[in-house]
Amino acid sequence: MSERNWSTFACPNPACSVYGQVGQSNLRPHGWSSKPRGIRCLRCTACGKNFSERKGTPLFGLHMSDEKALDIAHHLVEGNGMRPTGRLCGGTLNTVLRFARKAGDHAQRFHDQMVRHVQPQQVQADEAWSYVGKKRQEL
Ligand SMILES: [Zn+2]
């Protein structure tokens, strides 16, 4: 089995001299996680810290399979509620809520990193989600 290319990964240690910088050739495979299996551990040669290849992703620290996490994300993206998503994916409401929070936080960070210096003259919200306004609970 060939080893993956780590050139798109970066050291997640804020105290490291090459923190967040990709293509620095500072990362080396350093064993595997025991649980879940098959997750690569990496070592930064600049700071000597070890970390999971999943650090900084919504999959980091999950206690479910990747397939289940993807399933939950697909159902939520299609507009299914938290409880129906749990029933359809074979998970509990809390499992869905925790993963939705993780994925949402990650999406927020990704958006904030990627979308910069935009000065929109107009904003058109997607009509597909206009029903959200109708879901507000009447008092
Ligand atoms: Zn480092």
Side-chain angles (χ1 to χ4, degrees):
M1 188 171 81
S2 65
E3 191 60 77
R4 289 181 52 190
N5 178 1
W6 305 110
S7 66
T8 59
F9 283 67
C11 179
N13 175 14
C16 181
S17 62
V18 288
Y19 164 68
Q21 298 175 30
V22 297
Q24 297 296 314
S25 304
N26 59 319
L27 302 177
R28 301 280 180 271
H30 189 69
W32 300 86
S33 69
S34 57
K35 191 177 175 186
R37 292 189 176 279
I39 308 301
R40 217 17 157 164
C41 294
L42 300 171
R43 176 184 290 255
C44 174
T45 55
C47 67
K49 297 284 185 190
N50 300 328
F51 61 94
S52 165
E53 66 175 320
R54 290 186 166 187
K55 180 81 175 164
T57 76
L59 299 176
F60 180 70
L62 278 189
H63 296 283
M64 68 176 92
S65 69
D66 293 2
E67 291 75 24
K68 189 176 214 173
L70 199 58
D71 231 16
I72 289 172
H74 278 153
H75 283 283
L76 293 176
V77 165
E78 288 301 322
N80 285 321
M82 299 291 178
R83 288 177 199 279
T85 296
R87 288 192 295 270
L88 290 165
C89 298
T92 67
L93 174 62
N94 279 338
T95 300
V96 176
L97 288 171
R98 268 197 311 272
F99 182 68
R101 167 62 70 184
K102 268 185 129 168
D105 287 347
H106 184 78
Q108 179 75 54
R109 285 193 304 274
F110 179 78
H111 176 271
D112 292 347
Q113 284 177 355
M114 302 306 286
V115 181
R116 292 171 178 236
H117 312 297
V118 175
Q119 296 179 338
Q121 302 301 310
Q122 290 184 335
V123 175
Q124 291 189 4
D126 185 349
E127 294 86 0
W129 300 102
S130 62
Y131 79 95
V132 170
K134 296 175 189 164
K135 284 188 135 183
R136 176 179 287 163
Q137 186 175 10
E138 296 298 326
L139 298 175

